[in-house]
Amino acid sequence: MSRWKELPAELHPHVHQLIVRLRRLKDRSELSTRQLAARTRYSAKSWQRYLNGRSLPPREAVEAMARVGGDDPTRLLVMHEIAAQRWAEGRVVTTDAPENLSATPAQPPTEQQSYRRHLRAAVTAGAVVTVLSVSVALLLAVRLTEARAQLARDRGDAVTTTPATVSESLVPVIYTCRLEQRDGRWYAGLSRTTSILLSNTHVGLEVAEAQCLLHRAGTAPGDIDGVFGPKTRRAVERMQKQNGLIVNGVIDPPTWQALRSADAK
């Protein structure tokens, strides 16, 4: 039985376990490092580094040791894969090419390089998934908005409903105003309501309709986004003041009537 040097204390337990297993296989084979080099095509100096924990052996060297020692290569390669991950986390991996071949074959990338490539691929894939998810969400929001607008136009929006309020899941949408005058009233093609109450934090087609009419009346509320925020409230207050209404920043029936009026200021 060979007398082995003590392994470096800083080695990760999984790396330590792999090297101890390799040492046992060498002892079982009863080969010297020179004989091992001849059987595995890795130099004696390389095996000294591997078996003393100064360098991580490449996958091919581990497979060769399994054949020499009569061990199951599958189990040993699993141990090597885990050890390589731990090695990459703590130090730069160094591997050696066979030194006694007349033609040195091209070496596979080190475990460190493989780890970095997989990390870059994972980050890139994550970014692509994020962009696609946001795009799909925005597309669905636009389609939903168009469907609701068409439904509102088809049914004439005769029934008063309760508007939604701002939530964390709100997806920003910019609405299009399609202003037209019917029977002496202005409509923007998003809602035909004349009575629903709208105030701070309300969202939806009714808010977008009011924003379009505020813009037509000369009190622009900013983006036509269907969100009743501070800009929309200030625009409502200016419009109410200009038309002699109670200035409360709330779109109530009198305010709707003034907004839809043909001579709204």
Side-chain angles (χ1 to χ4, degrees):
M1 180 68 69
S2 302
R3 297 181 60 86
W4 294 102
K5 294 181 180 179
E6 186 176 354
L7 291 172
E10 66 271 15
L11 287 181
H12 190 280
H14 289 156
V15 180
H16 187 281
Q17 182 182 14
L18 173 66
I19 295 175
V20 168
R21 184 64 182 173
L22 293 175
R23 285 180 170 185
R24 290 176 181 172
L25 292 175
K26 180 184 179 301
D27 290 339
R28 181 190 300 176
S29 71
E30 299 181 349
L31 297 175
S32 67
T33 53
R34 290 184 178 276
Q35 293 172 326
L36 185 61
R39 294 283 296 274
T40 63
R41 303 187 303 172
Y42 283 84
S43 70
K45 291 183 179 180
S46 295
W47 278 115
Q48 289 172 3
R49 288 196 297 271
Y50 301 154
L51 297 174
N52 287 307
R54 297 197 304 271
S55 179
L56 185 71
R59 178 186 178 92
E60 291 77 5
V62 173
E63 286 183 302
M65 180 64 85
R67 290 193 299 269
V68 169
D71 195 12
D72 178 14
T74 302
R75 180 175 180 273
L76 200 60
L77 288 175
V78 171
M79 294 175 62
H80 176 266
E81 182 177 355
I82 298 173
Q85 293 175 357
R86 298 296 178 262
W87 186 278
E89 294 171 359
R91 64 175 71 185
V92 177
V93 178
T94 58
T95 58
D96 297 294
E99 296 182 5
N100 61 339
L101 292 178
S102 57
T104 302
Q107 291 300 301
T110 65
E111 297 293 340
Q112 179 80 353
Q113 293 169 337
S114 297
Y115 173 79
R116 289 175 178 173
R117 282 204 302 268
H118 283 92
L119 180 60
R120 286 195 297 268
V123 171
T124 302
V128 172
V129 170
T130 300
V131 171
L132 289 176
S133 298
V134 172
S135 300
V136 170
L138 290 174
L139 179 60
L140 289 175
V142 171
R143 293 289 176 83
L144 178 60
T145 299
E146 293 174 350
R148 290 184 59 192
Q150 183 62 46
L151 179 61
R153 288 193 293 270
D154 292 344
R155 72 185 184 185
D157 202 14
V159 180
T160 299
T161 58
T162 302
T165 57
V166 175
S167 65
E168 294 181 358
S169 60
L170 177 66
V171 179
V173 177
I174 300 300
Y175 296 85
T176 300
C177 300
R178 298 181 176 86
L179 292 169
E180 62 175 347
Q181 193 175 15
R182 293 183 182 179
D183 301 326
R185 292 184 176 183
W186 282 100
Y187 297 93
L190 297 170
S191 174
R192 299 181 64 82
T193 184
T194 58
S195 58
I196 190 170
L197 293 177
L198 298 175
S199 59
N200 279 339
T201 73
H202 283 159
V203 297
L205 294 170
E206 295 82 7
V207 176
E209 175 82 7
Q211 290 173 330
C212 290
L213 297 177
L214 286 167
H215 195 279
R216 191 200 72 83
T219 55
D223 292 335
I224 311 300
D225 56 7
V227 179
F228 200 123
K231 290 184 179 180
T232 300
R233 180 181 177 85
R234 289 193 292 270
V236 172
E237 290 174 346
R238 292 196 302 270
M239 185 271 178
Q240 289 173 331
K241 184 176 181 179
Q242 292 173 5
N243 286 271
L245 302 173
I246 296 175
V247 180
N248 55 13
V250 176
I251 301 180
D252 48 19
T255 304
W256 276 117
Q257 183 177 355
L259 285 172
R260 296 200 182 279
S261 176
D263 57 351
K265 299 178 183 178

